Amino acid sequence: QASASSSAACELPAPAPLEGSCLTAVTRSMNHGMDTVISKEDPMDEEEEELEDLPLLEKKKDPLFKAALLRMVNGAELTAVVEDIERGKVSGEKLYRIKYEDGDVEHFTADQVIACIVPVVPSSALAAPSEPTLAEPIAAMRYDTRIFSLHAEERNCQEQQVRATIQAAQGSVEHHKQQAVATGRHLKDASIPDDLVAAATDVPENRSEQNVRNAARERVVEQAKTVLAAAQALFALHGQPKHALHDLGSALLQQLGELEVLHRKLAASFMELREVSEKSLRDHEAMMRQDVDQMQEQQGAAASTAMSAAAAAISAIVEQKKDEAQHQKALIDQDLQKLRGQQLEFLKANDDPDQNETFRAVLDSIAHKQQRLGEIVGASDVSALEQLLTDIKEVEVSQHPAVDFQDAAAQQGQPPAKRRRFSLWPF
């Protein structure tokens, strides 16, 4: 791990330190890393620690993984990328292995990476967009990375203090337990034996026995005082372990409470910003929706008018084609009736169509008329027009379900188109 030189580079603004917590040390460390640059040519000032690789999942969760960096070395700009993340086996500190454009490799701390990080601008952002797009939150990327790293360092520091406090409390409890055991043994040794109690409460029969009893009473009183002192000491020791963790952790909890208040203030500030942003978005969305609704209403009315006109025209054409087909069918039926009468006369005369050219011509005309009649009955152009009219009506009903679409011409309030009778084929 390379040491830091005194030349300033990769400078980023650092947040103000919070006094009274290990956040101060973290911020100072970050400021130092931001105000200095690590020279690739500087020798190492401390012995290298053996490193171990991190799991891939943990690497991907780190916001600094694969980050692009820009450093100033001897007045020249060098680009690099965070190629890998490793961890010290003893210290547990994360070290970021960066690779320069010239192939050199170096290890950075998180602070040093943050100081030199460069947000990547997508190539699509360099070209003129075809339509308006949201700006890339470049400043937010730097802010997020810096804040996440700062919070991670602070959290690790606080967790270390909690563990140290618990270990100190456990050591204090163990010490009190040992003292309590020793005091308990002393209390047991100081207990008044039954024979002494019996001697102190005996009824003397003479002066000598009375002296013995009085001496026993004095010994019982002294022993009782010793028992009382031992018991008081033992009870005092019993109360101390219960408050050891509370006493040692009260200052730490107060410090964590101050940090929580700070974070709540930050959260309240961002909540206020979110409320203002939501209101602004709602107001602009309402205006945009109103504009879009007006435009769509006008376009929908124009489309409905166009479809109604198209439906009216198609309806008129369909009816006209039906009338034309009916008229042509009637003319062909008349011609067929005449031709069949002529055919009947030839049959009565026992004429042979192979011998009589006129009879043959009548039969050919009948076949031709029947073919034309079949073509008129099975004409597909009217069916296609009717399907087109049905499609127009379905679109109109889907856009205006409350409208009872009966007839396109009636929808416009126009009289039906005047139908003109004519024949397409001369007979």
Side-chain angles (χ1 to χ4, degrees):
Q1 184 174 346
S3 62
S5 68
S6 59
S7 58
C10 304
E11 187 173 352
L12 290 175
L18 178 64
E19 298 296 338
S21 72
C22 58
L23 185 61
T24 304
V26 175
T27 308
R28 287 172 181 167
S29 175
M30 178 176 286
N31 291 340
H32 177 71
M34 291 175 180
D35 294 337
T36 59
V37 62
I38 301 175
S39 173
K40 292 173 61 178
E41 290 77 12
D42 288 342
M44 296 183 179
D45 294 335
E46 57 184 25
E47 184 179 355
E48 288 190 358
E49 180 183 5
E50 186 176 358
L51 303 178
E52 60 182 2
D53 196 19
L54 285 181
L56 180 59
L57 183 60
E58 187 174 349
K59 294 179 185 178
K60 290 183 177 180
K61 290 181 179 179
D62 195 312
L64 302 180
F65 187 50
K66 298 300 181 182
L69 308 180
L70 180 64
R71 288 191 51 205
M72 292 293 296
V73 178
N74 296 330
E77 289 187 352
L78 293 181
T79 59
V81 65
V82 178
E83 184 183 43
D84 201 355
I85 305 177
E86 297 169 311
R87 179 169 50 202
K89 286 189 175 181
V90 178
S91 64
E93 181 185 12
K94 282 185 180 180
L95 292 177
Y96 298 83
R97 189 172 71 198
I98 67 170
K99 186 175 182 179
Y100 292 93
E101 56 185 338
D102 58 3
D104 288 350
V105 177
E106 190 174 8
H107 282 95
F108 270 17
T109 63
D111 296 338
Q112 295 160 355
V113 172
I114 294 172
C116 300
I117 194 168
V118 175
V120 179
V121 181
S123 57
S124 58
L126 300 177
S130 57
E131 60 184 31
T133 57
L134 293 178
E136 292 291 333
I138 298 177
M141 293 172 61
R142 283 179 177 242
Y143 176 80
D144 290 348
T145 304
R146 179 158 46 88
I147 292 300
F148 284 150
S149 177
L150 188 64
H151 279 232
E153 294 289 347
E154 172 65 11
R155 183 181 179 87
N156 292 337
C157 186
Q158 294 294 343
E159 289 178 351
Q160 291 175 5
Q161 285 197 6
V162 171
R163 287 194 293 267
T165 301
I166 293 175
Q167 291 176 358
Q170 290 175 343
S172 177
V173 169
E174 187 64 27
H175 176 68
H176 288 314
K177 285 170 62 178
Q178 295 176 0
Q179 285 186 333
V181 171
T183 305
R185 292 197 189 99
H186 179 62
L187 177 61
K188 184 177 180 181
D189 295 339
S191 299
I192 303 173
D194 294 339
D195 55 350
L196 183 59
V197 174
T201 57
D202 190 15
V203 179
E205 295 180 356
N206 52 45
R207 170 67 74 177
S208 176
E209 291 180 355
Q210 184 178 2
N211 292 335
V212 172
R213 185 195 66 179
N214 291 339
R217 286 180 175 178
E218 291 178 359
R219 289 175 57 192
V220 168
V221 171
E222 294 297 329
Q223 199 72 12
K225 292 179 179 179
T226 303
V227 170
L228 175 61
Q232 289 175 340
L234 182 62
F235 292 148
L237 289 174
H238 284 177
Q240 290 177 4
K242 297 179 181 179
H243 303 289
L245 183 60
H246 176 270
D247 295 339
L248 292 174
S250 59
L252 176 62
L253 294 178
Q254 181 181 0
Q255 178 178 312
L256 291 175
E258 294 174 356
L259 290 176
E260 182 180 2
V261 171
L262 173 62
H263 286 214
R264 288 183 183 275
K265 289 181 180 179
L266 291 174
S269 175
F270 279 98
M271 288 180 64
E272 181 182 0
L273 175 61
R274 178 177 177 178
E275 292 176 358
V276 173
S277 301
E278 286 181 350
K279 183 179 182 304
S280 178
L281 289 173
R282 285 196 302 268
D283 294 342
H284 285 80
E285 182 182 7
M287 291 187 295
M288 293 171 62
R289 187 181 296 276
Q290 184 178 2
D291 293 341
V292 172
D293 288 343
Q294 291 178 354
M295 180 193 66
Q296 291 180 351
E297 184 177 359
Q298 295 174 356
Q299 292 178 344
S304 297
T305 302
M307 287 191 297
S308 298
I314 297 299
S315 297
I317 293 174
V318 168
E319 293 299 325
Q320 193 177 57
K321 280 184 170 290
K322 288 181 178 179
D323 290 344
E324 292 171 356
Q326 190 68 25
H327 179 65
Q328 293 171 8
K329 183 175 178 299
L331 294 177
I332 292 175
D333 287 340
Q334 293 178 3
D335 293 340
L336 283 175
Q337 186 176 2
K338 293 180 181 179
L339 291 172
R340 288 194 179 97
Q342 296 176 5
Q343 179 186 12
L344 182 60
E345 293 178 358
F346 283 116
L347 291 175
K348 289 180 178 179
N350 292 327
D351 287 337
D352 186 0
D354 295 334
Q355 302 295 330
N356 191 332
E357 293 182 0
T358 304
F359 190 12
R360 169 55 57 190
V362 169
L363 294 179
D364 292 341
S365 296
I366 291 175
H368 176 70
K369 296 294 183 182
Q370 289 177 342
Q371 181 181 359
R372 298 301 300 171
L373 185 62
E375 292 176 354
I376 293 174
V377 173
S380 60
D381 54 347
V382 175
S383 299
L385 291 175
E386 289 178 341
Q387 181 61 44
L388 176 60
L389 182 61
T390 301
D391 295 340
I392 294 175
K393 291 181 179 180
E394 288 179 354
V395 173
E396 181 70 19
V397 171
S398 65
Q399 296 299 320
H400 304 284
V403 178
D404 185 12
F405 195 97
Q406 295 293 338
D407 185 80
Q411 288 289 322
Q412 299 183 89
Q414 299 176 355
K418 185 175 180 181
R419 296 169 185 169
R420 183 166 54 91
R421 295 178 176 274
F422 62 91
S423 175
L424 294 179
W425 300 288
F427 294 100

